[in-house]
Amino acid sequence: MSAADEADAQALLAGSCPAPAEGDRVTLAHGAGAGASARLFDELLAPRLGGGPLDERHDSALLDAPEAGARLAFTTDSFVVSPLEFPGGDIGSLAVHGTLNDLAMSGARPRALSCGLILEEGLPLTTLARIAESMGAAARTAGVPIATGDTKVVERGKGDGIFVNTSGVGVVSPGRELHPKLVVPGDVLILTGSLGCHGAAVLCAREGLSFDADIMSDSEPLPDLVENLLEAVPEVHCLRDPTRGGLGALVHEIAAAAGVELRLEEAALPVDAPVASLCEILGLDPLFLACEGRFAAFVPEAHAGTALAALRSHPLGRAARCVGRVEPSTRGRTRVVVETRIGATRLLPLPAGEPLPRIC
Amino acid sequence: MRYVDEYRDADRVRRLADAVLAEATRPVTLMEVCGGQTHTILASGIQQLLTERVELLHGPGCPICVTPLETLDLALALTELPDVTVCSFGDMLRVPGSHGDLSAARARGGDVRVVYAPLDAARLAACEPDRRVVFLAVGFETTVPAVAAAARWARDRGLCNFFLLVSHVRVPPALELIASDPERRIQAFLAAGHVCTVMGTAEYQPIAATHDMPIVVTGFEPVDILQGVLMAVRQIERGEAQVSIQYRRAVRDEGNPAARALIDEVFEATDRPWRGIGIIQQGGLGLRQEYASLDAQQLIPTDALPQPEEPERCRASEVLQGRMRPPECPEFGRGCRPEQPLGAPMVSSEGACAAYFAYRIGDVEDEIASQDPAREAQA
């Protein structure tokens, strides 16, 4: 261990956790297994992430089995966002919301989360504490414990401060079926809120773009809102959250999986004014910016009114609206058509890669 | 959004389209010069409202498309030098050189950074004196003042590690070339509004007069474009050939004198190759002698670079000069697609081929399938 690492380890030993002083940093010793590792978990992470099975410190978390006829949903996701903290959230709350939302999109009620942290040598412990605090708070707000976890440390330069992996387990009630293949002509596409706030907020924070109007990430947990909808309208065919690639990528995926044509109504697509302005300036399309607190629901048209009412009765679904509909494919080709504001039609292109600002 | 939403108003758009169809007594063909206008036309579906009475052809106004392969190859070669950082606008990253693009060069370990303004690149050079920072300066007159400002900023501070790889192009010589084409299909230009915001309209007067062609300086929203079309159609119907301004909210006849003075201080007109078209007399801007020390070409011997390799089947030249619409190209949607482009117009965010592929490929695939019974059966 280098002298600096030793000093850092001593700082931890001296009881700087759970409120580490500025300047304390992650060292390779924190990944060595015993000593500093144990203290990092006991003094910094567990108080922030625990409160459930994690506090048992067992090799595995033990969870109650679901009721008869129910099925388990299991998902995992890794988060590598830069910067680690942005207006409206950070990598910790984002990781919790992202995994809870993936479970919810399958119709599952989340039961437990895991938390894998890959820390880069040199990460300030104050930053780690803030992220862990935010992560724990997000899990507690959603009522889903972080049940198990793991921490590794990589050398300086081999990470991006912190990478977070979260897995989640949830229970799907008997008879509940949600899948892209169930989407059929006659369904309508309901979106629960405005587009692109998360992608725009991260872009502004990453590129240091100062903007007159604050743009906040829409990162939120969606399981409650999903339960509201599915209890009111069990006939919903599919749910999907427009994360990476935004609504634009989502509709292409659904169209391809279901073998249908999707038609979006341009004038109905909700985009907040600051996001729309940012997109105008940079030449980006809000349809392809990520959301982390919205979802799209494919609902038989006869149930659309009930679905909208159920969604709008929840704080996260107040802006829900119908933005498109599903039609049969043309000549066996699945595609997405946009009905433009001026009454014409065009195809919705799928970008070749990450959106990039244009020259002029 | 003020100044945007009112120019996308569906009722205004329909009324303007109806007026165009009522006033055009015979079919007309117009060219919108700028790739941004092309994308608006295709993304909003304006051509559908104008029916076949007014044909809109797409011009050479995509700065990415006309950047010569040699320039891209040089930028790629610079990324391989150990202490060089190449800065670029985001949409240059995916444009193919002879062997790969800047995005791939970055993946190979080259230091390629996206900047939002040329001055950001100059500031980077000031912050990192151990690196040589090259800004890939492409674009029409619109982007030149900001590059000139960065050049002056760097010179005023005596920066020795900031360079410009200049490939700026001028619009009027390209319009002159297109207007003088004996096979030209077009009867009027919709000129690029933002270029005239800087340069004004003086350079367009002799083109309109010599070639008896109306030139309407036009904005970029659907209402702008349809107003521009209506103004052009009225001139054609009356037998006039004036330079007129639709984009009055941004353009004055004299342009922006301060910006023009800045351009003149740093740059001078020069002959320049346009990708797909060839050398256009006075078609570009080069650094003046006083700023020659900023020229990035001195960083690498250009004769050390391999010959640029342009795919022979690419018909970008005809597309850029309005002789052919992208779907008329035999390779469009077949041998040339965004994932396997033959030329820059299929990948650039302002490229006409990319716009057609993005917004209308379904129609084109229907055409292709109907010409090929086996494929039709498969579909």
Side-chain angles (χ1 to χ4, degrees), chain B residues 248-266:
Chain B
R248 277 280 174 204
R249 66 186 184 280
V251 175
R252 288 176 294 177
D253 291 330
E254 69 276 21
N256 181 333
R260 284 168 51 197
L262 193 55
I263 293 174
D264 283 343
E265 178 190 323
V266 179

Side-chain angles (χ1 to χ4, degrees), chain A residues 157-240:
Chain A
K158 293 191 173 175
D160 203 4
I162 177 170
F163 298 140
V164 182
N165 171 272
T166 41
S167 296
V169 175
V171 177
V172 183
S173 299
R176 192 176 271 187
E177 292 289 345
L178 296 167
H179 199 280
K181 286 181 180 167
L182 299 177
V183 172
V184 289
D187 285 354
V188 295
L189 167 54
I190 294 172
L191 187 67
T192 61
S194 59
L195 290 170
C197 298
H198 174 74
V202 170
L203 183 69
C204 285
R206 184 168 62 219
E207 306 296 344
L209 301 176
S210 53
F211 218 60
D212 282 347
D214 289 336
I215 298 177
M216 304 273 283
S217 168
D218 52 50
S219 179
E220 294 284 357
L222 296 170
D224 272 358
L225 182 61
V226 167
E227 285 306 313
N228 261 27
L229 172 65
L230 294 181
E231 280 170 17
V233 186
E235 296 83 358
V236 169
H237 286 148
C238 179
L239 301 176
R240 186 64 74 90

Side-chain angles (χ1 to χ4, degrees), chain A residues 2 9 18-19 36 39 47 49 58 97 102 105 116 130-131 138 142 167 195 252 260 301 329 344 350 359:
Chain A
S2 72
R39 280 189 294 282
L49 300 176
H58 213 347
H97 294 157
D102 281 348
M105 294 306 112
R130 278 200 307 276
I131 288 168
S167 296
L195 290 170
H252 274 284
V260 296
E301 191 167 11
S329 69
L350 200 53
I359 178 170

Side-chain angles (χ1 to χ4, degrees), chain A residues 17 63 73 88 93 100 111 227:
Chain A
C17 293
L63 307 174
S93 56
L100 291 177
R111 293 287 284 271
E227 285 306 313

Side-chain angles (χ1 to χ4, degrees), chain B residues 31-325:
Chain B
M31 172 181 277
E32 83 277 0
V33 171
C34 173
Q37 295 168 326
T38 299
H39 276 256
T40 297
I41 289 163
L42 287 158
S44 59
I46 284 174
Q47 184 67 70
Q48 293 168 46
L49 300 188
L50 293 177
T51 68
E52 291 170 359
R53 188 80 58 83
V54 179
E55 182 187 22
L56 293 170
L57 278 180
H58 317 298
C62 165
I64 314 296
C65 301
V66 301
T67 298
L69 207 49
E70 294 90 326
T71 305
L72 285 161
D73 288 350
L74 185 55
L76 288 165
L78 286 167
T79 67
E80 292 174 12
L81 299 181
D83 63 342
V84 168
T85 297
V86 174
C87 296
S88 155
F89 295 126
D91 51 4
M92 286 302 295
L93 257 66
R94 294 198 204 103
V95 183
S98 297
H99 306 286
D101 57 28
L102 285 170
S103 178
R106 183 162 69 179
R108 285 196 300 270
D111 188 4
V112 178
R113 303 191 202 180
V114 171
V115 292
Y116 294 85
L119 200 53
D120 290 347
R123 289 197 181 108
L124 181 68
C127 293
E128 300 193 20
D130 294 338
R131 297 195 66 79
R132 293 180 287 176
V133 176
V134 177
F135 179 69
L136 178 50
V138 301
F140 292 100
E141 293 93 328
T142 329
T143 48
V144 183
V147 176
R152 193 159 76 175
W153 190 90
R155 197 197 58 173
D156 288 351
R157 280 154 187 77
L159 284 185
C160 299
N161 64 328
F162 178 63
F163 301 90
L164 295 171
L165 181 51
V166 178
S167 187
H168 284 303
V169 280
R170 299 174 62 232
V171 169
L175 298 194
E176 171 66 34
L177 185 79
I178 290 165
S180 52
D181 182 348
E183 296 174 31
R184 90 169 193 229
R185 285 162 65 175
I186 56 175
Q187 289 138 288
F189 286 119
L190 304 180
H194 50 12
V195 168
C196 297
T197 303
V198 175
M199 301 304 292
T201 56
E203 295 174 294
Y204 296 82
Q205 303 288 355
I207 301 171
T210 307
H211 302 286
D212 198 25
M213 282 183 70
I215 299 179
V216 182
V217 177
T218 307
F220 302 89
E221 299 298 336
V223 166
D224 290 322
I225 288 166
L226 281 162
Q227 277 179 344
V229 170
L230 184 59
M231 289 167 74
V233 163
R234 283 177 177 163
Q235 284 202 47
I236 292 166
E237 290 288 330
R238 292 180 197 141
E240 296 173 357
Q242 310 288 328
V243 177
S244 53
I245 301 175
Q246 177 278 327
Y247 201 38
R248 277 280 174 204
R249 66 186 184 280
V251 175
R252 288 176 294 177
D253 291 330
E254 69 276 21
N256 181 333
R260 284 168 51 197
L262 193 55
I263 293 174
D264 283 343
E265 178 190 323
V266 179
F267 293 103
E268 59 189 351
T270 181
D271 298 348
R272 167 130 6 244
W274 288 45
R275 187 172 186 175
I277 295 177
I279 290 176
I280 297 185
Q281 304 291 323
Q282 301 292 287
L285 291 167
L287 288 165
R288 286 188 183 276
Q289 189 58 40
E290 297 88 325
Y291 283 86
S293 62
L294 295 181
D295 190 351
Q297 301 218 34
Q298 66 191 287
L299 300 182
I300 199 162
T302 47
D303 53 5
L305 297 175
Q307 276 297 307
E309 293 175 24
E310 191 80 76
E312 286 176 10
R313 292 172 294 146
C314 180
R315 309 277 289 271
S317 168
E318 289 154 87
V319 171
L320 291 170
Q321 295 181 73
R323 294 182 192 144
M324 174 189 276
R325 289 163 58 247

Side-chain angles (χ1 to χ4, degrees), chain A:
Chain A
M1 184 186 296
S2 72
D5 291 345
E6 182 69 32
D8 283 349
Q10 288 300 323
L12 268 179
L13 271 173
S16 55
C17 293
E22 187 67 48
D24 290 348
R25 290 175 184 275
V26 167
T27 71
L28 292 175
H30 288 127
S37 284
R39 280 189 294 282
L40 186 75
F41 178 75
D42 289 343
E43 296 173 15
L44 191 148
L45 295 175
R48 293 170 171 83
L49 300 176
L54 186 71
D55 295 339
E56 301 294 324
R57 286 148 166 80
H58 213 347
D59 278 356
S60 301
L62 301 178
L63 307 174
D64 296 334
E67 65 267 36
R71 290 148 298 156
L72 287 176
F74 181 41
T75 186
T76 190
D77 206 346
S78 298
F79 295 81
V80 295
V81 64
S82 173
L84 300 175
E85 297 167 294
F86 45 83
D90 57 56
I91 191 171
S93 56
L94 181 67
V96 168
H97 294 157
T99 299
L100 291 177
N101 294 349
D102 281 348
L103 288 171
M105 294 306 112
S106 317
R109 289 183 182 83
R111 293 287 284 271
L113 295 170
S114 74
C115 163
L117 299 175
I118 297 176
L119 309 175
E120 184 185 15
E121 181 187 19
L123 176 74
L125 289 175
T126 47
T127 306
L128 177 60
R130 278 200 307 276
I131 288 168
E133 188 65 49
S134 159
M135 199 167 184
R140 284 190 293 278
T141 302
V144 182
I146 294 172
T148 187
D150 175 55
T151 304
K152 294 283 187 292
V153 179
V154 295
E155 289 172 37
R156 187 188 285 270
K158 293 191 173 175
D160 203 4
I162 177 170
F163 298 140
V164 182
N165 171 272
T166 41
S167 296
V169 175
V171 177
V172 183
S173 299
R176 192 176 271 187
E177 292 289 345
L178 296 167
H179 199 280
K181 286 181 180 167
L182 299 177
V183 172
V184 289
D187 285 354
V188 295
L189 167 54
I190 294 172
L191 187 67
T192 61
S194 59
L195 290 170
C197 298
H198 174 74
V202 170
L203 183 69
C204 285
R206 184 168 62 219
E207 306 296 344
L209 301 176
S210 53
F211 218 60
D212 282 347
D214 289 336
I215 298 177
M216 304 273 283
S217 168
D218 52 50
S219 179
E220 294 284 357
L222 296 170
D224 272 358
L225 182 61
V226 167
E227 285 306 313
N228 261 27
L229 172 65
L230 294 181
E231 280 170 17
V233 186
E235 296 83 358
V236 169
H237 286 148
C238 179
L239 301 176
R240 186 64 74 90
D241 53 343
T243 53
R244 191 168 48 181
L247 184 68
L250 183 158
V251 287
H252 274 284
E253 286 167 20
I254 300 290
V260 296
E261 177 170 302
L262 270 167
R263 294 180 84 88
L264 294 178
E265 193 183 335
E266 190 176 63
L269 293 169
V271 183
D272 294 344
V275 174
S277 300
L278 180 82
C279 288
E280 281 294 327
I281 290 167
L282 295 181
L284 303 174
D285 187 343
L287 263 174
F288 293 97
L289 291 182
C291 305
E292 292 289 349
R294 318 284 189 228
F295 68 84
F298 292 85
V299 183
E301 191 167 11
H303 299 283
T306 314
L308 282 170
L311 290 167
R312 288 172 180 164
S313 70
H314 190 282
L316 295 180
R318 273 197 295 264
R321 63 203 295 187
C322 190
V323 299
R325 62 185 189 279
V326 182
E327 299 203 336
S329 69
T330 308
R331 293 169 176 266
R333 273 195 293 278
T334 61
R335 60 185 190 175
V336 180
V337 176
V338 177
E339 294 174 357
T340 71
R341 285 169 206 278
I342 67 170
T345 60
R346 66 171 167 93
L347 293 180
L348 181 72
L350 200 53
E354 284 291 300
L356 292 169
R358 68 183 170 204
I359 178 170
C360 60

